[in-house]
Amino acid sequence: GESVGLHLPTLSVQEGDNSIINCAYSNSASDYFIWYKQESGKGPQFIIDIRSNMDKRQGQRVTVLLNKTVKHLSLQIAATQPGDSAVYFCADQEGNTPLVFGKGTRLSVIA
Amino acid sequence: DAGITQSTRHKVTETGTPVTLRCHQTENHRYMYWYRQDPGHGLRLIHYSYGVKDTDKGEVSDGYSVSRSKTEDFLLTLESATSSQTSVYFCAIFRAGDGYTFGSGTRLTVV
């Protein structure tokens, strides 16, 4: 994720619409990527992951897309619900080194 | 998450005092991590462990030390707390297939 100082990038979507959250990573040797969701007062929760030998992976209502050429990762959430409101983090990893997290995007769902 | 516990949710301490945070896991995972979370910075790695007595520094390790004398416990010590160490601290374990699983976090305030 990219920093905008003290304020998180915010995405506001209407309930029922699809959401797309984007993330740029810097390490071209990263081979594993994860998206996390963090609700207020809680720890980050795993949503979906993808390895570098794939460019798309789908879960329940979520899809992760990986473009290694431009070092870009995106998370698509279908039919966004109020319960999806949270901060979303991407993270990448090279081999067994620790995950490196982006700075997060706040998703607000408008009912 | 039932597999990882940070028993202290909130703590207030005075500048210059030592503070130790404990992370406990019940699932015999090899890798454990300490991150701090601050507005505008996302999650940043402090230290991590890849086995008993095996630890390594992360991105923001200055002013912190860790110890892992047994598999289930990973301790983070602020040797002499400063106001810049006011933060939310998260412990994590690595679970194959689920990425990192985080504890519920400790909000530390240094006054």
Side-chain angles (χ1 to χ4, degrees), chain A residues 3 5-8 32 34 36 38 41-46 49 89 93 96-104, chain B residues 9 31 33 35 37 39-45 48 59 90 94-95 97-105 107:
Chain A
S3 172
L6 294 178
H7 303 288
L8 287 175
Y32 181 59
I34 307 182
Y36 283 90
Q38 187 177 25
K42 296 184 179 179
Q45 293 178 287
F46 173 91
D49 61 357
F89 293 95
Q93 182 181 42
N96 286 331
T97 61
L99 284 174
V100 176
F101 285 81
K103 293 176 176 56
Chain B
R9 292 302 311 269
Y31 287 88
Y33 307 84
Y35 283 85
Q37 186 173 34
H41 292 281
L43 288 148
R44 293 181 292 172
L45 181 68
Y48 69 103
E59 176 190 358
F90 287 100
F94 172 70
R95 278 179 175 154
D98 285 340
Y100 289 14
T101 299
F102 286 85
S104 50
R107 182 174 295 278

Side-chain angles (χ1 to χ4, degrees), chain A residues 70-81:
Chain A
V70 295
K71 297 199 287 286
H72 184 267
L73 195 66
S74 69
L75 177 70
Q76 301 178 358
I77 304 173
T80 312
Q81 303 168 358

